[in-house]
Amino acid sequence: MTEIFIKIFAAGVIKYLIIFALPYFIFWKLFPQKVKNLKIQAVERQKPQIPLELRYSFSTLIIQSLIFLSIYWLNEKGIFNIYAGFGSQGYLREAAGFVIYFVVYDAYFYWSHRLLHEGWFYKKVHVVHHMSLNPTPFASYSFHPIEAVVSLVYFYPVLYFCPMSFELFLLLIVLTDFGNLAGHLGYDFIPKAMWKSKWGAWLTTPTHHNMHHQYSRSNFGLYWRGWDEMFKTLRSRTGQEFIRVKDQGDFL
Ligand SMILES: [Zn+2]
Ligand SMILES: [Zn+2]
């Protein structure tokens, strides 16, 4: 088990470096001038923010590896059915797994996030994530250890009820990380035309989550804007703020 844990952890670190550290160096360090028109907040981050984000990211990586190790163990015991070969049990199963995962995760994120903003949960746990007022990609994993667990436990019911291939499982993890990166990159790459399209009316933007870091008590949703609209937690000027960012000028 120790050997498997080390492999999972090493893969997690490599994934973190590619998905979060690399965009940080590209957009925040190497070419900030090229993407300055896409920047959501003009204010510079506070000095201690990055070391704090990195420290909590490291503990999140350890907790994430332990959870993935437990998933491996539960799969070995036959409690989960993660099988080898994408489509080997039919593509319909993979498609269903994909849709179920994102619908469940999105709903789970909204409601667990609402809970994390209540009393003790906010003061002792979620406050860590909110120390990043202008988040960098490293904030994507900047969680108190309790929140690191909360942010991943939805995997257990999904995998229990939803058999899927190992390849789909990996794809879901990577796509979830990219979604997380989008909300914490500090830049909004969503084209205005996409936002104005039929799909855009359904979905959140990176600006949506960035505003959550600025104002805290609104915009709890992750992908589907409907949760915030339905439960009246959408910040009133979210759409206008997105337009303001887009009207700063063209990309490059
Ligand atoms: Zn966040
Ligand atoms: Zn929050």
Side-chain angles (χ1 to χ4, degrees):
M1 274 292 175
T2 313
E3 201 183 307
I4 293 161
F5 174 79
I6 291 167
K7 279 184 185 164
I8 294 173
F9 181 70
V13 170
I14 292 166
K15 176 170 72 72
Y16 184 86
L17 292 175
I18 295 171
I19 298 180
F20 302 112
L22 191 61
Y24 171 76
F25 284 107
I26 292 173
F27 297 113
W28 288 74
K29 288 283 164 196
L30 292 177
F31 308 111
Q33 278 306 312
K34 289 198 189 299
V35 287
K36 67 177 192 312
N37 290 338
L38 304 174
K39 197 147 197 261
I40 301 169
Q41 289 187 50
V43 288
E44 280 311 308
R45 63 187 181 276
Q46 318 93 303
K47 273 259 168 336
Q49 185 177 314
I50 290 191
L52 181 122
E53 289 173 351
L54 284 171
R55 219 170 42 241
Y56 280 105
S57 291
F58 184 73
S59 86
T60 297
L61 276 168
I62 292 175
I63 290 163
Q64 187 186 67
S65 304
L66 287 169
I67 288 180
F68 288 158
L69 183 71
S70 74
I71 289 172
Y72 169 84
W73 183 79
L74 289 164
N75 200 48
E76 289 288 293
K77 295 276 164 212
I79 292 163
F80 295 157
N81 181 8
I82 303 173
Y83 51 86
F86 186 81
S88 63
Q89 294 195 18
Y91 290 109
L92 197 63
R93 182 167 277 194
E94 308 288 357
F98 185 90
V99 172
I100 291 167
Y101 173 84
F102 280 108
V103 170
V104 169
Y105 176 47
D106 194 53
Y108 175 78
F109 183 93
Y110 180 80
W111 289 108
S112 61
H113 195 183
R114 290 285 302 265
L115 178 69
L116 285 165
H117 275 263
E118 294 298 325
W120 183 88
F121 285 109
Y122 187 80
K123 278 195 226 103
K124 298 287 179 197
V125 178
H126 193 48
V127 68
V128 168
H129 188 62
H130 277 276
M131 281 175 184
S132 305
L133 293 173
N134 186 14
T136 75
F138 299 125
S140 305
Y141 272 22
S142 181
F143 300 131
H144 183 283
I146 293 176
E147 183 171 353
V149 174
V150 171
S151 73
L152 286 164
V153 289
Y154 65 91
F155 264 112
Y156 295 113
V158 169
L159 292 170
Y160 183 77
F161 291 108
C162 198
M164 65 177 70
S165 66
F166 180 62
E167 290 79 1
L168 177 65
F169 177 63
L170 290 187
L171 179 71
L172 295 175
I173 292 169
V174 169
L175 289 178
T176 303
D177 277 348
F178 273 111
N180 203 348
L181 168 71
H184 299 100
L185 184 60
Y187 298 88
D188 198 322
F189 281 87
I190 303 292
K192 204 157 130 182
M194 194 194 280
W195 183 77
K196 284 188 166 168
S197 73
K198 211 163 56 186
W199 285 99
W202 285 71
L203 301 171
T204 62
T205 61
T207 300
H208 180 107
H209 189 69
N210 190 285
M211 288 175 81
H212 177 69
H213 279 266
Q214 292 178 64
Y215 306 112
S216 185
R217 295 209 59 83
S218 50
N219 293 5
F220 297 99
L222 183 61
Y223 306 126
W224 184 47
R225 210 162 70 194
W227 285 116
D228 277 314
E229 284 174 347
M230 211 177 343
F231 293 94
K232 312 245 177 298
T233 51
L234 185 70
R235 193 167 177 87
S236 58
R237 293 189 57 80
T238 303
Q240 288 95 323
E241 180 63 4
F242 172 78
I243 297 292
R244 182 196 65 75
V245 174
K246 293 290 104 179
D247 287 347
Q248 288 178 148
D250 289 333
F251 175 38
L252 291 176

